[in-house]
Amino acid sequence: EIYRIILDEKGKFKLLRISQQSSMVKPFKIINKTILAEKKTQINLSGGKNILSQDNSLKVNDTIILDITNNSVQKHLKFDKNATILLSSGKNAGAFGILKEVYAEKSMARPRILIEAGKEKIETLKAYAMVIEKEFIEDGTTDEKNKGK
């Protein structure tokens, strides 16, 4: 059996059983970009991973789904309104919801966001947020069991 570790709504580690195929891909938040020689861009990802890319659509705070077997980008999730967000830090770590507002950066204040998590509205730092697909935070074995039905 294969598992993915995520934070639950209480900020505690939770094990999710996933399929073999799901274990080959992993979401990474883009935390920085650096322009290198020959118009290549180094994308710095969460977890200390770096990749080279020529894709100019990748922006800081976006998330990429990376095939970890060959380091290829499978999907690009933009940090835009109505994106599904997982909070990875702060007192609301583990909460997920829909991005409703990104507050403009004012002076030296750190950028903030507003997400809607069910009936609750959470305002937190933008740095705590990661765009995610629901399949990465839900038990991945359910789909396999229901394929034949």
Side-chain angles (χ1 to χ4, degrees):
E1 293 184 21
I2 303 169
Y3 293 90
R4 176 174 286 130
I5 298 176
I6 66 162
L7 292 175
D8 67 12
E9 297 80 19
K10 296 177 183 177
K12 306 288 184 195
F13 290 120
K14 177 180 176 182
L15 291 175
L16 292 179
R17 192 172 12 174
I18 61 172
S19 67
Q20 177 74 30
Q21 185 179 4
S22 292
S23 72
M24 300 299 171
V25 294
K26 184 176 176 184
F28 288 94
K29 180 178 178 178
I30 299 174
I31 56 173
N32 194 15
K33 290 173 53 172
T34 306
I35 307 297
L36 303 176
E38 299 174 22
K39 296 187 180 183
K40 288 189 180 181
T41 304
Q42 177 178 306
I43 308 292
N44 304 325
L45 306 171
S46 55
K49 194 164 194 62
N50 301 315
I51 61 168
L52 294 178
S53 176
Q54 294 181 340
D55 185 351
N56 291 330
S57 69
L58 300 175
K59 307 284 184 217
V60 172
N61 293 315
D62 288 353
T63 296
I64 59 170
I65 308 300
L66 198 67
D67 182 331
I68 59 174
T69 60
N70 60 12
N71 279 341
S72 65
V73 176
Q74 298 298 306
K75 199 172 216 179
H76 175 205
L77 307 174
K78 294 186 178 197
F79 190 86
D80 286 333
K81 283 186 180 179
N82 297 317
T84 301
I85 299 291
L86 174 67
L87 298 179
S88 59
S89 298
K91 70 178 184 181
N92 295 300
F96 72 95
I98 304 299
L99 179 62
K100 292 298 177 182
E101 190 74 38
V102 179
Y103 299 116
E105 299 176 31
K106 297 178 183 175
S107 66
M108 297 298 286
R110 293 175 69 186
R112 301 185 70 78
I113 62 166
L114 177 69
I115 71 166
E116 201 171 273
K119 295 179 181 178
E120 185 181 5
K121 292 188 178 186
I122 301 171
E123 184 178 327
T124 190
L125 294 176
K126 185 178 179 181
Y128 294 167
M130 178 178 182
V131 182
I132 197 81
E133 289 183 322
K134 284 189 179 183
E135 68 185 56
F136 286 101
I137 53 179
E138 295 175 344
D139 190 325
T141 58
T142 313
D143 292 337
E144 288 182 352
K145 291 176 186 172
N146 294 331
K147 273 186 183 175
K149 295 181 182 179

